[in-house]
Amino acid sequence: ICDMVTVARLLNLTLVVPELDKKSFWADHSNFEDVFDVDHFINSLRDEVRIIKRLPKRISLKVGYPQLEMPPISWSNEQYYLQKILPLFSKYKVIHFNRTDSRLANNGISFELQRLRCRVNFKALKFTPKIEALGKKLIGILQQKGPYLALHLRYEMDMLAFSGCTHGCSQNEAEELQKLRYAFPWWREKEIISEEKRSHGSCPLTPDETTSILRGLGFDKSTQIYIASGEIYGGEARLASLRRAFPKIVKKEMLLDPKDFGQFRNHSSQMAALDFMVSVSSDVFVPTYDGNMARVVEGHRRYNGYRRTYRLDRRKLVELLDSHRNGSLSWEEFSAAVKSSHEARKGQPGFRRIVPEKPKEEDYFYANPHECL
């Protein structure tokens, strides 16, 4: 969304309020205005770009107006949009970008446009009043009980199928995940060797692995942990070791009355908005996988004063976990190695890493938007 506002500003075009994806695994039918305060979004940016809620009928597809549907190329700079996209408007008065994730480069963008991204991200995008109110209620309940750690535990069925990771799963579960993977044609790479991916740090940590990591970092039974996630694959049984080590584990469903959820129930994006708010406000944030939410939470926590956010080095951690479990590392050695390897990975101030010609390997703009700070 921030990228598309910035592109519209660069090209001096009118932006139609973005549509949210309704075709992914979540199959959530929420619209933009169900998650975000749409009037605030439009009004707060009115000096930057013209935004309208919907396409006028006179230039809609129904009356046969020429319209181009396309995905812009990922990680593109200003010249791509000025030289390749802008000329298309002489033929097509409306262009529908049907993919908008990571379509603007992290680095090499003019300071003015980067600052606009910041204004959209931190000022223009506000959740609806109902989401804000319930999120603040959740945060208040947690804070009354003392400091808390928000754990973004990405051990969900869709994430495991998408990443091709089956470590910690039974044979039946691995087969079920493989079937799901084959059911989605846009997950192109079908055959994935799970253990090889895990050794490269490309898999979400399992709840068992997460238990050892948190203990290794020095968290104990007194730590209040809020699990920010969808339904954990394997249910409560898979969380058994985590609950034994950390009895003060809670989820939003445990803290609120069922009637509090009301319109949010069965709307994954609205429920995720609540987890987002709780994660941003937590004393410590620990994501077990580098997804979009984890990165944007990290960026907001930097913006709010560099609150402690562990950027887990999964490749290193998997190596340490396996060494401890095969007996070559004592618990004391394991814990010391976990702590030392993450001393500089707590969300401290720093500039984004730039990797010329390999933007996917760079630090993500929204995880460390240093131009905003």
Side-chain angles (χ1 to χ4, degrees), residues 125-138:
L125 282 172
K126 284 179 61 177
F127 294 126
T128 64
K130 287 185 177 179
I131 291 176
E132 289 275 338
L134 194 56
K136 288 175 182 176
K137 182 177 180 178
L138 262 175

Side-chain angles (χ1 to χ4, degrees), residues 249-299:
I249 282 182
V250 293
K251 299 179 181 179
K252 53 186 172 294
E253 293 83 358
M254 297 167 59
L255 298 174
L256 297 173
D257 191 287
K259 66 182 180 184
D260 285 331
F261 291 111
Q263 69 181 65
F264 305 113
R265 199 171 298 283
N266 300 323
H267 291 287
S268 305
S269 56
Q270 295 178 52
M271 296 289 262
L274 297 173
D275 283 342
F276 179 89
M277 288 185 66
V278 175
S279 297
V280 168
S281 296
S282 63
D283 296 273
V284 182
F285 178 62
V286 181
T288 60
Y289 195 66
D290 297 329
N292 286 330
M293 176 162 159
R295 290 166 169 175
V296 180
V297 168
E298 179 185 351

